[in-house]
Amino acid sequence: MAANFPVSQWAHWAHWAQAGSIGHRATLPLFGPLCAAALLAGVTLGLLLPALPPDWLLWLGLLGGAWLSWRSGHLRPLGVLLLGLSFAGLQAAQVLHAQLPPAMQGMPQLIRGQIVELPIHEVRSSSFEFVVDAASTQPAVLRGQRLRLAWYDDDPRPRARLQAGSRWEFPVKLRAPRGLRNPGGSDAEKYALAARIVATGFVQKPARARRLAGPAGIDAWREAMSARIAKAVPATSSRYVRALALGDTRALDDADWARLRAAGLTHLIAISGFHVGLVAGFCALLTGVFWWLLPALCRVLPRPFAAGAGAVLGAMGYALLTGMAVPTLRTVVMIAVLVLARCLRRRQRMADTLALGCIVLLLLDPLAVLGAGFWLSFAGVAWLLWCLPGQPDKGVWPMLRGFFAAQAVASIGLLPLTVLLFGQASFAGPLANLAAVPWWSLVVVPLSLLGVLLDTLHAGSGAVCWQAAAWCFDLLWPPLAWIADSPLAMTWLPEARWFALPLAIFSAFWLLLPRGLPGKPLALLLWLPLLLPARELPAAGEVELTVIDVGQGLSVLVRTAHHSLLYDMGPAVRDGYDAGERAVIPALHALGVARLDAAIVSHGDNDHAGGLQAVSAAFPMPRVLVPTGSPTRGTAHCLAGQSWQWDGVRFRILHPAEGIPYLDNESSCVLRVETAHGSALLAGDIGQYVERKLLGQQADMLHNEVVIVPHHGSAGSSDAGFIAATGARLALVSSGADNRFQHPRAGVVRRWCDAGAEVLDTARSGAMRVWLSARGLQMRERRADLPRLWDAVQRRGQAAGLCYAPEFLRP
């Protein structure tokens, strides 16, 4: 569907383009749309560099960019771009240089400071952000810095005292931010940079934690108000009222977020610019009424100016109270600019206002571009300004037509960003938004905010408004949930190449141009690289293995031309982190896996079987093989001698043999994948006893080009004879960074290296993809393939491989 607009609006766009044209020296305002776009491009480019340039070069670029920006003329956009690139680089360098040095990793520390933001309480743990005091008594590298901490305790009562704004003393163990790197997965290291978190860790001895002072400040007020809403509204929808009123989404679980994503409604749950506009408008009206009641005040400040000041102060105060999210800041800046323009009696176009808001936000925090909220917020408004620039006609039908047109613009214009940022597209989004946007924005949100205002003035007086908001929310939520749960609501899309996004944005731009322009059907073809990207599937007789980065555990995807098998699903903590949900499922979606034809759970240990429940819920598995006696349930037992063939590729079980009792690690299912171009061995957690047994009974089956190193490279595995028999060219280890078992052990790595294998580890390489094809043995490492300046492995000076055989081709 394309939104069509009158050709007469070309005049407006032509004027906008002329105002930002490089060819018009006098019409190139420093704070105009063109310079805003240049600054955004520079900041984005600076943060996409694979590594940071030296600080002196960044400072030189900053000064040169500032000089060129100040000069009017053809070079101003180039100067602004250089300024943005250097400024973002310096900001990133400041945060990265402040991160915990390797020498202090894992060392016990006693720190004092304050809890900021809202703590997240789960069944067996709590997580929170903590700012260390700047006092000289604190560790020098941590003074005034922000940390991300966790408190693990089955008893929730001590953790309940963790309140926003409270001051504490904690014994902690810390390390620099480190995360998993997978296709489709979240990037914890990028999040830490954007949030300026210099270290993560946990409370080492909770019994020694001391609360020094009770909650105080804005965050404490937010938490207290959220608790009042939860107490006043017994309905389950109270969690949505808290989210809409205060931006407190802690009570929303994974199922809630899945529904919101499927219905395309996540943008309405976060505190949006519309919320800020409502508060600003109310404050302006209230201030105007006060000035009307006291006319003498007009001698000091005219009533329109006072109303504008009230709007700005109200918007700014509300943004502070709700966590200073990017959409709220963008709206605050735009309101301030509009009020200032009115006070100066200058006409201000919305495009110029948006540009100034973008510039101010980027100068305040260039790292904001690392978050999805920045792009969705500004891109949505920019699309609407581009496609709906004129003044709306009066009347009901013109307003409805404008509303439907705005929905079409938002759906088409933001689809490329949604696919890139979240790997999914909601086909039900436009339909759900038609109902949810007006109802939530004009009914539920005002009632929720009115309740907050009344309860702030007098405790308990906001309950009626909150209950009414929950009741109104419940009226519409069942049909929205039905839409979200329908199988056609959302589709997951494979990870696309870098050029897919600009092509899709250009296509959206062309589709949204006025009616009558040629080539619109052809423009749809430009969506194909984004919506139908190449999945790099193996041909018949070839195989691809993807070792997913699940931390201290194992999960391997094996794909042939038309079939997929998952070997293990990573670890999971009861009522806590689940690698199946957080790492395996996103990776499968990003790799374009539509179904799993079979699965093997090598044995029942949590680090291999923990994620099974989550993965099986997202990808029903018709066949699940487990060892006989395993505590993990399956549809059949894996037994030595079993084999099957998919697309010219032979799968063969080598261990365990029938009649052998379950022996935990030693009962791991050993799988051999055979092709005409080589073979691969997936050995689970077997130790040297089983390795020698296989060497004595099936030595011919041990020769493989690729081996998943048994038991994560533990000292009790990888017997020298077993390694020699494999003749492996590539030995892959799946382990967690800085794990307490010290896997892989140095002696084990040395034995594989001495045998001529290249040894790679997920802790350093991230997810690893390997192809056994007609072109030979090929591989790709996630961290090396997509280098980022915040990459923890790169910053620690670690090579991805533990030892290299350089003849391998990395496509």
Side-chain angles (χ1 to χ4, degrees), residues 14 163 175 206 262 337 517 579 582 624 696 705 729 731:
Q163 295 172 297
R175 74 172 185 178
V337 171
L517 290 176
R582 302 294 176 85
V624 181
E705 280 72 17
R729 299 171 60 196

Side-chain angles (χ1 to χ4, degrees), residues 169-232:
E169 180 182 80
F170 292 120
V172 296
K173 276 192 175 182
L174 303 173
R175 74 172 185 178
R178 189 71 176 262
L180 309 177
R181 286 291 297 276
N182 288 300
S186 59
D187 190 340
E189 295 159 20
K190 181 179 74 171
Y191 168 79
L193 173 62
R196 291 174 166 78
I197 293 173
V198 304
T200 61
F202 62 94
V203 179
Q204 187 181 13
K205 297 178 180 178
R208 290 180 52 196
R210 289 196 305 130
R211 189 159 93 159
L212 306 176
I218 293 175
D219 290 327
W221 177 88
R222 288 180 65 203
E223 190 169 30
M225 187 62 67
S226 179
R228 292 185 193 176
I229 296 177
K231 183 178 180 181

